[in-house]
PDB file of all heavy atoms in Angstrom:
ATOM      1  N   GLN A  88      15.040  15.121  -2.237  1.00  0.00           N
ATOM      2  CA  GLN A  88      16.276  14.575  -1.689  1.00  0.00           C
ATOM      3  C   GLN A  88      16.026  13.289  -0.906  1.00  0.00           C
ATOM      4  O   GLN A  88      16.908  12.454  -0.772  1.00  0.00           O
ATOM      5  CB  GLN A  88      16.956  15.609  -0.800  1.00  0.00           C
ATOM      6  CG  GLN A  88      17.483  16.827  -1.556  1.00  0.00           C
ATOM      7  CD  GLN A  88      17.973  17.925  -0.641  1.00  0.00           C
ATOM      8  OE1 GLN A  88      17.925  17.815   0.589  1.00  0.00           O
ATOM      9  NE2 GLN A  88      18.453  19.022  -1.232  1.00  0.00           N
ATOM     10  N   LYS A  89      14.818  13.138  -0.395  1.00  0.00           N
ATOM     11  CA  LYS A  89      14.426  11.930   0.330  1.00  0.00           C
ATOM     12  C   LYS A  89      13.728  10.926  -0.590  1.00  0.00           C
ATOM     13  O   LYS A  89      13.106   9.965  -0.129  1.00  0.00           O
ATOM     14  CB  LYS A  89      13.505  12.296   1.496  1.00  0.00           C
ATOM     15  CG  LYS A  89      14.164  13.196   2.544  1.00  0.00           C
ATOM     16  CD  LYS A  89      13.177  13.567   3.637  1.00  0.00           C
ATOM     17  CE  LYS A  89      13.805  14.505   4.668  1.00  0.00           C
ATOM     18  NZ  LYS A  89      14.869  13.839   5.436  1.00  0.00           N
ATOM     19  N   ASN A  90      13.794  11.186  -1.888  1.00  0.00           N
ATOM     20  CA  ASN A  90      13.256  10.299  -2.916  1.00  0.00           C
ATOM     21  C   ASN A  90      11.733  10.188  -2.868  1.00  0.00           C
ATOM     22  O   ASN A  90      11.167   9.129  -3.157  1.00  0.00           O
ATOM     23  CB  ASN A  90      13.884   8.904  -2.810  1.00  0.00           C
ATOM     24  CG  ASN A  90      13.808   8.152  -4.132  1.00  0.00           C
ATOM     25  OD1 ASN A  90      13.865   8.745  -5.207  1.00  0.00           O
ATOM     26  ND2 ASN A  90      13.676   6.836  -4.053  1.00  0.00           N
ATOM     27  N   LYS A  91      11.078  11.263  -2.505  1.00  0.00           N
ATOM     28  CA  LYS A  91       9.619  11.284  -2.500  1.00  0.00           C
ATOM     29  C   LYS A  91       9.105  11.797  -3.841  1.00  0.00           C
ATOM     30  O   LYS A  91       9.731  12.641  -4.484  1.00  0.00           O
ATOM     31  CB  LYS A  91       9.094  12.208  -1.398  1.00  0.00           C
ATOM     32  CG  LYS A  91       9.738  12.005  -0.030  1.00  0.00           C
ATOM     33  CD  LYS A  91       9.396  10.670   0.584  1.00  0.00           C
ATOM     34  CE  LYS A  91       9.967  10.574   2.011  1.00  0.00           C
ATOM     35  NZ  LYS A  91       9.621   9.312   2.681  1.00  0.00           N
ATOM     36  N   ILE A  92       7.941  11.310  -4.261  1.00  0.00           N
ATOM     37  CA  ILE A  92       7.256  11.841  -5.437  1.00  0.00           C
ATOM     38  C   ILE A  92       6.387  13.001  -4.979  1.00  0.00           C
ATOM     39  O   ILE A  92       5.686  12.902  -3.958  1.00  0.00           O
ATOM     40  CB  ILE A  92       6.395  10.763  -6.109  1.00  0.00           C
ATOM     41  CG1 ILE A  92       7.277   9.605  -6.595  1.00  0.00           C
ATOM     42  CG2 ILE A  92       5.596  11.354  -7.278  1.00  0.00           C
ATOM     43  CD1 ILE A  92       6.488   8.388  -7.053  1.00  0.00           C
ATOM     44  N   CYS A  93       6.409  14.107  -5.722  1.00  0.00           N
ATOM     45  CA  CYS A  93       5.682  15.307  -5.315  1.00  0.00           C
ATOM     46  C   CYS A  93       4.733  15.773  -6.417  1.00  0.00           C
ATOM     47  O   CYS A  93       5.133  15.897  -7.578  1.00  0.00           O
ATOM     48  CB  CYS A  93       6.651  16.437  -4.982  1.00  0.00           C
ATOM     49  SG  CYS A  93       7.764  16.069  -3.605  1.00  0.00           S
ATOM     50  N   ILE A  94       3.485  16.039  -6.029  1.00  0.00           N
ATOM     51  CA  ILE A  94       2.500  16.610  -6.938  1.00  0.00           C
ATOM     52  C   ILE A  94       2.069  17.944  -6.355  1.00  0.00           C
ATOM     53  O   ILE A  94       1.427  17.998  -5.302  1.00  0.00           O
ATOM     54  CB  ILE A  94       1.293  15.672  -7.136  1.00  0.00           C
ATOM     55  CG1 ILE A  94       1.771  14.324  -7.706  1.00  0.00           C
ATOM     56  CG2 ILE A  94       0.259  16.322  -8.062  1.00  0.00           C
ATOM     57  CD1 ILE A  94       0.666  13.301  -7.883  1.00  0.00           C
ATOM     58  N   ASP A  95       2.472  19.018  -7.022  1.00  0.00           N
ATOM     59  CA  ASP A  95       2.187  20.368  -6.536  1.00  0.00           C
ATOM     60  C   ASP A  95       0.870  20.840  -7.120  1.00  0.00           C
ATOM     61  O   ASP A  95       0.728  20.972  -8.335  1.00  0.00           O
ATOM     62  CB  ASP A  95       3.322  21.304  -6.926  1.00  0.00           C
ATOM     63  CG  ASP A  95       3.123  22.710  -6.376  1.00  0.00           C
ATOM     64  OD1 ASP A  95       2.386  22.854  -5.381  1.00  0.00           O
ATOM     65  OD2 ASP A  95       3.694  23.656  -6.939  1.00  0.00           O
ATOM     66  N   MET A  96      -0.094  21.107  -6.246  1.00  0.00           N
ATOM     67  CA  MET A  96      -1.408  21.552  -6.696  1.00  0.00           C
ATOM     68  C   MET A  96      -1.442  23.058  -6.980  1.00  0.00           C
ATOM     69  O   MET A  96      -2.416  23.566  -7.515  1.00  0.00           O
ATOM     70  CB  MET A  96      -2.463  21.194  -5.638  1.00  0.00           C
ATOM     71  CG  MET A  96      -2.446  19.730  -5.220  1.00  0.00           C
ATOM     72  SD  MET A  96      -2.707  18.583  -6.582  1.00  0.00           S
ATOM     73  CE  MET A  96      -4.428  18.900  -6.951  1.00  0.00           C
ATOM     74  N   GLY A  97      -0.401  23.783  -6.573  1.00  0.00           N
ATOM     75  CA  GLY A  97      -0.300  25.210  -6.834  1.00  0.00           C
ATOM     76  C   GLY A  97       0.443  25.479  -8.126  1.00  0.00           C
ATOM     77  O   GLY A  97       0.611  24.596  -8.980  1.00  0.00           O
ATOM     78  N   ALA A  98       0.945  26.701  -8.273  1.00  0.00           N
ATOM     79  CA  ALA A  98       1.519  27.132  -9.551  1.00  0.00           C
ATOM     80  C   ALA A  98       3.036  27.037  -9.634  1.00  0.00           C
ATOM     81  O   ALA A  98       3.614  27.343 -10.677  1.00  0.00           O
ATOM     82  CB  ALA A  98       1.098  28.573  -9.842  1.00  0.00           C
ATOM     83  N   ASP A  99       3.704  26.611  -8.569  1.00  0.00           N
ATOM     84  CA  ASP A  99       5.164  26.705  -8.534  1.00  0.00           C
ATOM     85  C   ASP A  99       5.854  25.905  -9.633  1.00  0.00           C
ATOM     86  O   ASP A  99       6.959  26.260 -10.063  1.00  0.00           O
ATOM     87  CB  ASP A  99       5.689  26.243  -7.168  1.00  0.00           C
ATOM     88  CG  ASP A  99       5.413  27.255  -6.075  1.00  0.00           C
ATOM     89  OD1 ASP A  99       4.667  28.217  -6.336  1.00  0.00           O
ATOM     90  OD2 ASP A  99       5.922  27.082  -4.947  1.00  0.00           O
TER      91      ASP A  99
END
Side-chain angles (χ1 to χ4, degrees):
Q88 293 172 359
K89 298 178 182 293
N90 203 32
K91 312 293 185 178
I92 298 170
C93 298
I94 301 177
D95 183 23
M96 308 301 290
D99 287 9

